[in-house]
Amino acid sequence: MSLPVILLIFIASIPSLTPGKLTAAECQIKKWRLPESANNKPQVVTNGKQPTPAVLIPRVPVTCCLNDGSCLDEALYQNQADKKALLTSLDRSLQYLKTTRAEEAYKKYPVSGITRDRVFKSLTRFRQLLLTTNSPTELHKAIENEFVLYQSIGRDSKGSVLFTAYYEPLYTASRTPTPEYRYPAYKLPPDLGSWPRPHPTRLELEGADGLQAAKGKLRGLELLWFRDRLEPYMVQIQGSARIQLTDGTTTTIGYAGNTAYDYKSIGRELANDGKLPLEGMTMPIILDYFQKYPQELNVYIPRDRSFVFFQENKGAPAQGSISVPLTAERSIATDKSLMPPGALALIRADFPFANDTGKLEHRIVSRYVLDQDTGGAIKGPGRVDYFLGTGKLAGDRAGVTVGNGQLFYLLLKS
């Protein structure tokens, strides 16, 4: 499970695709929009009750323009480890698609023409192409010949998708409470299904200071104890963590369930109260604020009524909502009521990368990814959360990832 860092949303106005020779600006912007023909021919899908607007529109693959590196997944042919990571992610989705769980999911999937069998064959063929092509251009040309791209209508029905990123934090924790390690993460209550609705809020479950849970429903469900109040809360936002235990061993914890409330961004709450400007807000800025004013954690964390429970995974990697391990840079989270689980996607957006000096620099890139996760705040066709891996650098990158891009799914031609 992923819950994104909801920060600044900036949107570039992007004109629609036009025929003929494309200018440099059109190469970078126009061609990525949904074609006007798609807007002129509204499609519908059936969810079993009534027709609803289609969220994925089939189109021909985007043609690359001269010197437009953002059209290609160049990383695959620059680093064998990157190609290996994508192959691993592909194999995990193929494994999922063989399960009865996938069979049931696709029986309910609302977009006509996107079936489990077609998705499976598409991943299998793409895997073959990945192994036999020698350049990003060669791979792109093969995709143009054999695949249809289904583009998300985005948040504006023109293809604009908001991208954030998430990661697996690395923290120190204790198996027993101590004066230093006082703030717990909790196991899933065995009777959660019988809790009356509305569920208790975060404030009711753990108190304003995060230390009162032993007096209520969470008594005895403590999984691990953390040193900093913000750490178990950040694990709830990210959905998993890798843990260095005080006894010298390591473990991992992952999402096990949650209460029935939507996530509320503490960053946006800070902005609403005038404590920080919304424009330019990033997770490092939010963390710096709470380092300066730690008492404010007792004000803002309780405003997020949602609460996440965990299970110990004993070193296993972070898992997505389709129960396969996530792959850094090659897994995404979307709204699984709308997007095809386990499917192959192409994303294009602005992401931060560390240069040779360790400084983060933003570049617009395309990446082939597998849709393997979801999140409480990932709602609608205009949201994607991009998994960046484990540890501090992944966290630094995730904290400043926010911007507009495009989302496509690759399906073999019928």
Side-chain angles (χ1 to χ4, degrees):
M1 186 194 98
S2 67
L3 293 173
V5 180
I6 298 181
L7 309 171
L8 170 66
I9 300 174
F10 61 87
I11 304 173
S13 177
I14 307 178
S16 56
L17 183 69
T18 55
K21 187 176 181 180
L22 296 176
T23 67
E26 288 169 332
C27 280
Q28 293 297 323
I29 297 175
K30 275 191 174 182
K31 66 177 180 175
W32 296 97
R33 293 288 259 183
L34 272 171
E36 284 189 358
S37 58
N39 296 328
N40 295 335
K41 299 177 182 178
Q43 302 182 23
V44 296
V45 294
T46 301
N47 61 10
K49 295 181 180 179
Q50 61 182 4
T52 57
V55 296
L56 294 174
I57 306 295
R59 59 172 292 178
V60 296
V62 177
T63 300
C64 291
C65 296
L66 186 64
N67 299 322
D68 179 14
S70 72
C71 191
L72 306 171
D73 191 343
E74 296 178 322
L76 289 174
Y77 298 85
Q78 295 171 344
N79 188 336
Q80 283 299 313
D82 210 312
K83 181 179 287 190
K84 183 178 179 180
L86 180 55
L87 287 167
T88 298
S89 194
L90 279 163
D91 289 342
R92 288 168 175 169
S93 273
L94 286 167
Q95 177 186 0
Y96 160 74
L97 289 165
K98 295 176 182 177
T99 65
T100 55
R101 181 179 175 188
E103 183 180 1
E104 291 303 314
Y106 275 93
K107 283 180 181 177
K108 302 174 184 176
Y109 187 66
V111 179
S112 177
I114 300 182
T115 64
R116 181 180 68 144
D117 182 62
R118 190 179 178 195
V119 171
F120 185 89
K121 290 177 179 177
S122 300
L123 267 64
T124 302
R125 178 56 182 155
F126 179 84
R127 193 183 192 282
Q128 294 170 343
L129 292 173
L130 191 60
L131 290 171
T132 56
T133 54
N134 297 309
S135 72
T137 301
E138 187 180 342
L139 176 61
H140 190 87
K141 287 181 178 178
I143 289 169
E144 284 185 312
N145 290 333
E146 299 187 37
F147 286 79
V148 175
L149 266 60
Y150 282 71
Q151 183 170 3
S152 171
I153 63 171
R155 299 182 304 116
D156 57 359
S157 296
K158 296 179 181 179
S160 297
V161 173
L162 175 66
F163 283 80
T164 51
Y166 65 114
Y167 73 109
E168 183 182 50
L170 178 60
Y171 291 131
T172 301
S174 172
R175 290 197 181 276
T176 57
T178 71
E180 184 179 8
Y181 292 88
R182 302 187 296 153
Y183 299 101
Y186 296 91
K187 294 180 285 188
L188 182 71
D191 61 343
L192 180 62
S194 64
W195 284 15
R197 304 284 186 106
H199 283 162
T201 65
R202 177 182 298 276
L203 179 63
E204 292 167 336
L205 285 172
E206 66 175 7
D209 61 0
L211 296 172
Q212 308 306 313
K215 301 177 182 178
K217 285 182 172 292
L218 301 186
R219 179 180 177 86
L221 295 175
E222 297 87 353
L223 182 62
L224 297 172
W225 279 262
F226 293 79
R227 187 165 32 198
D228 188 310
R229 170 83 195 277
L230 196 55
E231 290 177 352
Y233 181 66
M234 288 298 296
V235 181
Q236 292 195 35
I237 292 176
Q238 302 302 329
S240 64
R242 189 163 293 275
I243 305 296
Q244 176 68 54
L245 292 163
T246 54
D247 62 9
T249 62
T250 61
T251 191
T252 52
I253 59 175
Y255 171 81
N258 62 277
T259 55
Y261 291 104
D262 290 335
Y263 164 73
K264 177 176 282 189
S265 165
I266 58 175
R268 185 169 290 278
E269 288 297 297
L270 286 167
N272 291 343
D273 289 351
K275 301 294 180 70
L276 291 173
L278 183 60
E279 183 177 357
M281 187 184 293
T282 62
M283 183 53 73
I285 291 174
I286 296 171
L287 296 179
D288 181 67
Y289 177 86
F290 286 121
Q291 286 179 352
K292 293 177 180 177
Y293 308 103
Q295 69 279 5
E296 293 279 78
L297 290 171
N298 296 348
V299 176
Y300 287 97
I301 288 181
R303 291 192 187 180
D304 178 12
R305 296 185 298 173
S306 68
F307 202 88
V308 177
F309 305 103
F310 296 95
Q311 61 189 10
E312 185 171 358
N313 294 329
K314 300 186 184 300
Q319 284 202 342
S321 61
I322 65 171
S323 299
V324 301
L326 300 174
T327 305
E329 311 273 359
R330 297 296 170 180
S331 296
I332 60 170
T334 64
D335 185 339
K336 287 299 175 292
S337 69
L338 302 173
M339 302 304 169
L344 174 67
L346 173 69
I347 59 173
R348 179 182 180 272
D350 185 305
F351 295 112
F353 297 88
N355 63 18
D356 293 339
T357 65
K359 183 179 179 181
L360 295 182
E361 297 177 344
H362 284 258
R363 299 198 309 270
I364 297 176
V365 299
S366 291
R367 291 290 182 266
Y368 294 107
V369 295
L370 283 300
D371 194 339
Q372 297 170 330
D373 205 358
T374 192
I378 307 299
K379 302 294 185 184
R383 286 290 285 111
V384 170
D385 218 11
Y386 185 35
F387 182 65
L388 292 179
T390 302
K392 184 179 185 305
L393 177 58
D396 290 344
R397 293 178 64 204
V400 295
T401 297
V402 56
N404 245 22
Q406 294 82 32
L407 168 66
F408 308 86
Y409 290 90
L410 281 70
L411 280 300
L412 282 170
K413 293 177 181 178
S414 298

